[in-house]
Amino acid sequence: MKLWLTTITAALSLNAAANELTLDTNLAYQLTESLTVEVGQRLAGSEADARAVTWAEQKFKQLGYDKVWTEPFTMQYWQRGSASLAVSAPFHQNLVVTALGGSIGTPFDGINAQVVMFESLEDLKQATQAQVKDKIVFINKSMGKDKLGTFYGSVVGARAQGAVEAAKLGAKAIIIRSVGTSINRFAHTGIMRYSEDVPRIPAAAISVPDAIQLDKMLSRQPELSLHLQMQNKLPGEVVSHNVIAEISGSQRPDEIVLISAHIDSWDEGTGALDDGAGVGIVMATGALLKQQGRPERTVRVVLFGNEEGGLVGARAYAAKHATNLENHVFASESDFGAGRIWRLDTGFGEKALAFGNTLQQKLAPLGVEPGDNTASGGPDVSVLKAQGVPVVSLQQDGTDYFDYHHTPNDTMDKIDPAAMRQNVEAWLITTREVANSKVDLRR
Amino acid sequence: MKLWLTTITAALSLNAAANELTLDTNLAYQLTESLTVEVGQRLAGSEADARAVTWAEQKFKQLGYDKVWTEPFTMQYWQRGSASLAVSAPFHQNLVVTALGGSIGTPFDGINAQVVMFESLEDLKQATQAQVKDKIVFINKSMGKDKLGTFYGSVVGARAQGAVEAAKLGAKAIIIRSVGTSINRFAHTGIMRYSEDVPRIPAAAISVPDAIQLDKMLSRQPELSLHLQMQNKLPGEVVSHNVIAEISGSQRPDEIVLISAHIDSWDEGTGALDDGAGVGIVMATGALLKQQGRPERTVRVVLFGNEEGGLVGARAYAAKHATNLENHVFASESDFGAGRIWRLDTGFGEKALAFGNTLQQKLAPLGVEPGDNTASGGPDVSVLKAQGVPVVSLQQDGTDYFDYHHTPNDTMDKIDPAAMRQNVEAWLITTREVANSKVDLRR
């Protein structure tokens, strides 16, 4: 053990000049800081994404993981260009706008059209072609706040499906009120979708203050025109990578306890909360676990690529490992910011619920309450859950998560180091309990 | 009185379709909303500035002011262009940057240079040419928060004078940590100065999170290069206007009680806090005062132009009215956001201090504490104070003012209508007490 620590220390000291790492529960914060400072944004498929993959490989090795490797997958690469949105006379003003991920651009000179506002995606679906044709649709649905992010589901549909629904009725473009909970003037990006049989139209989000402003303008002047200009690029297929590292199990090395986060981020912030924090937490958990004594089962840390584009890395992982997913005895992902963990949800078989209760009791001193047995495990891990892999969700307090999520304001200064330490403590307990037991968590 | 109210109502109803105004203390909020929604940003000298002047003239007339006029002045017009700032290898990232007002642009291809960080303007002044020559200077001074905005004075020097001090030592450009108190990722603009005998270099501000980020990068890699690109324009001399309106005094119409705000704003927000709120407050005060009974002295409301460029409208006003400034018995400005008024400071002669005490006692039910006798009266009004005009400062709670000041985030949703109403009540009491007395407030 002492020898091993010396080895780790020697490895870490290789990088001392760049950023010293210490093997305690603050390690997660240090790793997240290293990723956001030294790499920053890492849009899937970009050159920065490749740098993030290299960063992760190097850090895993420095941290003494037994095996470190990458697994390539192909993906459709989307690049943001310039974007601007202006209100025409009589209230000539620029609004803060951002392209939604995956959106096509406008013609070079932009699109000039009258705007038509709807309160929700559901209202848009009820509209007639006469209301919408040749206009720019504006969906102005606001979002509530809670610890679990419950309101996201009811709002994000406008972002994901709005372009298809608007285009069905002949709209020229769509803008949505940001899927976000802050009145700070940032537009929130995020993935959107097209449908093969519906024309593609440009899709963008405006900040919450700008949505309020546009609403007020429309109450004064219902016939208002907008000028939208966006220059996105869709260069086609590129290769990105999942980054994987293992602490080999001492007793049952073939049984895999998978903990994960996603390495990619949107491009306007530095991806500190989404999902630099998760990357730091799970990388630190594996390293600290080994420091405390090699686990009986193998602990595999997976940093999924291109989560933001639609769980692309996770699907590639599930496909590649399809034949040995039965060896995945457990999976979980940290991908909801850096707030304190306050609840344990499980996705276990009935006979493993007692194990879940015991686990929650071990987490209780950290303030973790019992939850339910309907955990998704996290966005990427939901793909594994669908294949029968048992999961938990270590629920973080996400009250403020959607203030920052997918904006330029998702930066390191928003993270509380003490909350990060609490996360690592909870992940360490959870991972150790599962990795050092023989429990079968499957349904 | 009843007839007069009918006239007002008729006038207001002319604009009912656009935005109904009601003659109560909520009028200030309605006016600020009207200005920010219907005009928005109004950079001095711009087409939007001219629209704001027209807006103000129309609103003064609708509100029943007895006289409404504009006074032209000439000014140097500055236009923002695109701006970008990127960190070069090994930490390639874009930082959030904004040009400081008045700054020249860079060459079209930008400036590539090593960055050198200083903790303050004072530290830069102590530096040697060897440290600074051919580099981009970065001043990383943080700003504290309090009700009075006390810390602004000790930080704003880097913005105003940094370019001159950096250029004296041969710097290629200067960037400063934003003069602001929020960790939201907005860069704060504001006016900067050149000196005739020192070369002009580009000057910009980065957001607080980006300043923290750059500091962390430099601690890892002291020899870091930046690429700064800005395309500002200085089109030269243009004409802007002060907008002036009066409620004529019933007894001593030649004695002028001047209340004021500034009509211009920086260009990235909608100038709600700076200084749309002040515009709403003083316009409402005059209208409500007349509704309550014509004052004995004349109440003159002045909306100064181009405050942001350096009190340009205020200086023009003082010059034009130089021969009758002795008729200005009082002046004050609302220009510190929309927080509640919590303190009364005066700038009176000794023999008028008793009047000041009485005034404070009348304001006390609103939560207004006694202050001192060193009031500036507000930025524009300080020019009149220098000419001997008595002033007060109705001090607003500015704790959060520098979170938003000079950023894209200065928007209407940051204003609390209840605090606006309290402001109007305090301004009504103050203006009425001075306008209905014969007190001589001069030193």
Side-chain angles (χ1 to χ4, degrees), chain A residues 364-433:
Chain A
L366 297 174
V368 181
E369 302 166 12
D372 60 34
N373 198 36
T374 66
S376 73
D380 292 300
V381 160
S382 70
V383 176
L384 301 178
K385 182 189 176 178
Q387 303 296 318
V389 178
V391 303
V392 302
S393 290
L394 287 163
Q395 298 286 9
Q396 294 172 292
D397 184 341
T399 308
D400 297 332
Y401 183 62
F402 293 106
D403 286 1
Y404 303 111
H405 176 253
H406 297 188
T407 72
N409 208 19
D410 178 3
T411 50
M412 191 67 200
D413 48 290
K414 310 308 183 300
I415 295 182
D416 171 17
M420 284 283 273
R421 287 192 292 272
Q422 189 260 9
N423 271 264
V424 172
E425 287 168 9
W427 278 86
L428 269 173
I429 291 168
T430 304
T431 310
R432 187 173 54 226
E433 289 301 314

Side-chain angles (χ1 to χ4, degrees), chain A residues 232-284:
Chain A
N232 308 318
K233 287 182 191 163
L234 294 104
E237 208 165 73
V238 297
V239 173
S240 182
H241 296 82
N242 295 322
V243 187
I244 306 175
E246 281 185 357
I247 309 294
S248 306
S250 60
Q251 306 299 319
R252 296 176 294 287
D254 291 344
E255 297 180 9
I256 296 165
V257 174
L258 185 150
I259 62 175
S260 65
H262 65 85
I263 189 69
D264 67 309
S265 77
W266 284 107
D267 52 325
E268 297 192 296
T270 63
L273 294 165
D274 186 11
D275 183 27
V279 168
I281 289 164
V282 298
M283 289 180 94

Side-chain angles (χ1 to χ4, degrees), chain A residues 17-19 29-30 33-41 47 51 90-93 96 183-186 209 212-213 216-217 219-220 268-270 404 408-414, chain B residues 17-19 29-30 33-41 47 51 90-93 96 183-186 209 212-213 216-217 219-220 268-270 404 408-414:
Chain A
N19 183 29
Y29 185 86
Q30 293 177 38
E33 182 177 277
S34 171
L35 176 60
T36 56
V37 170
E38 296 162 28
V39 180
Q41 72 84 15
E47 167 273 337
R51 279 190 287 122
F91 308 139
H92 182 77
Q93 291 189 36
V96 170
I183 56 165
N184 286 318
R185 203 173 176 204
F186 296 106
I212 296 169
Q213 178 85 328
K216 286 181 178 169
M217 288 176 178
S219 75
R220 287 161 161 78
E268 297 192 296
T270 63
Y404 303 111
N409 208 19
D410 178 3
T411 50
M412 191 67 200
D413 48 290
K414 310 308 183 300
Chain B
N19 183 29
Y29 185 86
Q30 292 177 39
E33 183 176 277
S34 171
L35 176 60
T36 56
V37 169
E38 295 163 26
V39 180
Q41 72 85 15
E47 167 273 338
R51 280 191 285 123
F91 308 139
H92 183 76
Q93 290 189 35
V96 170
I183 57 164
N184 285 319
R185 203 175 175 202
F186 296 107
I212 295 168
Q213 178 85 327
K216 285 180 178 170
M217 288 176 178
S219 75
R220 286 162 160 79
E268 297 191 294
T270 63
Y404 303 111
N409 207 20
D410 178 2
T411 51
M412 192 67 199
D413 47 288
K414 310 308 183 300

